[in-house]
């Protein structure tokens, strides 16, 4: 099993999730943005010498996937893995990531990040697939915790499931603090207790975002400023994640008219995580 020393990865700093809608603003403010996270599927087959290379020339890039579907029964898609490996090489990415979920069933895309039945057998199967991803792409692979609206009785708690997967895989964690806050709020558990129950020494990257309330449910919409509770979580976790190398602010819609709103959040995150992440 190939396992990487997560603590020796390069410090990328604090950056944004790249979205085409704010491309001009990102380029105009490139000196205030340390790095970008790109959606893997948006760049798998783009021609050489195009927008991807332009981004790579300005920023450190890390691919973040949606459609690997590591929780789907059966083997991983070899064609997808080949494309991911090429993308990682094209942008010289120090790691890549995807979600601890499934997005395909019966050969069809279901259009959402769907939570998994938390069994030991499935955790071990996913761990094997994560090891295969790392072996194929040649870099550390991170798995991200997702939000879920329904939670059924299971063999393992969410924290136990995450821990079993990443420790048996020897892979890293992309800890989405907003997802922790959303799940803790909607399902009535303590967010601090949750983060203390997962292997924080495997956290390489974090996500921050904001959402909104709908019918008594908090939604992770990536459409609003980062809430105070998530900043408090970042303050708590930052000093407990020795392998942390990057924090990404996610915004997918309702982009602010004043881009300074986003760069102000980048500055705030830098102040939280300090020199380990920012170099």
């Amino acid at each position: 099993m190939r396992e990487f020393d997560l603590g020796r990865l390069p410090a990328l700093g604090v950056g944004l999730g790249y979205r085409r809608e704010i491309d001009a603003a990102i380029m105009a403010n490139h000196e205030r943005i340390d790095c970008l996270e790109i959606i893997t599927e948006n760049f798998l087959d783009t021609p050489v010498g195009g927008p991807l290379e332009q981004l790579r020339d300005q920023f450190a890039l890390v691919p973040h996937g949606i459609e690997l579907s590591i929780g789907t029964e059966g083997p991983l898609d070899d064609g997808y893995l080949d494309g991911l490996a090429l993308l990682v090489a094209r942008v010289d990415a120090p790691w890549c990531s995807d979600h601890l979920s499934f997005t395909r069933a019966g050969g069809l895309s279901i259009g959402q990040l769907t939570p998994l039945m938390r069994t030991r057998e499935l955790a071990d199967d996913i761990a094997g697939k994560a090891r295969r991803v790392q072996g194929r792409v040649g870099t550390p692979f991170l798995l991200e915790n997702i939000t879920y609206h329904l939670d059924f009785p299971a063999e393992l708690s969410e924290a136990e499931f995450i821990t079993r997967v990443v420790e048996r895989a020897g892979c890293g964690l992309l800890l989405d603090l907003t997802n922790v806050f959303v799940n803790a709020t909607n399902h009535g558990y303590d967010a601090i207790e949750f983060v203390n129950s997962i292997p924080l020494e495997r956290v390489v990257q974090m996500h921050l975002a904001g959402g909104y309330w709908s019918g008594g449910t908090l939604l992770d919409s990536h459409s609003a400023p980062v809430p105070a509770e998530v900043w408090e979580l970042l303050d708590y976790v930052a000093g407990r994640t020795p392998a942390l190398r990057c924090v990404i602010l996610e915004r997918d819609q309702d982009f602010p008219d004043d881009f300074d709103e986003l760069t102000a959040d980048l500055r705030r995150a830098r102040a939280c995580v300090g020199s380990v992440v920012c170099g």
Side-chain angles (χ1 to χ4, degrees), residues 233-256:
L233 269 179
L234 180 61
D235 282 334
Y236 178 82
V237 173
R240 294 169 169 82
T241 49
L244 181 63
R245 294 296 180 264
C246 177
V247 176
I248 292 292
L249 178 68
E250 295 184 295
R251 193 69 171 259
D252 292 345
Q253 53 189 315
D254 297 340
F255 300 103

Side-chain angles (χ1 to χ4, degrees), residues 9 14 31 53 57 59 77 94 115 120 160 162 165 168 171 204 209 215 222 224 227 233 245-246 272:
L9 292 171
V14 177
E31 293 182 351
E53 277 69 30
D57 290 345
F59 303 97
D77 184 327
R120 293 176 178 85
E160 289 170 338
I162 290 171
V165 169
R168 294 193 172 211
C171 68
V204 173
H222 299 180
L233 269 179
R245 294 296 180 264
C246 177
C272 289

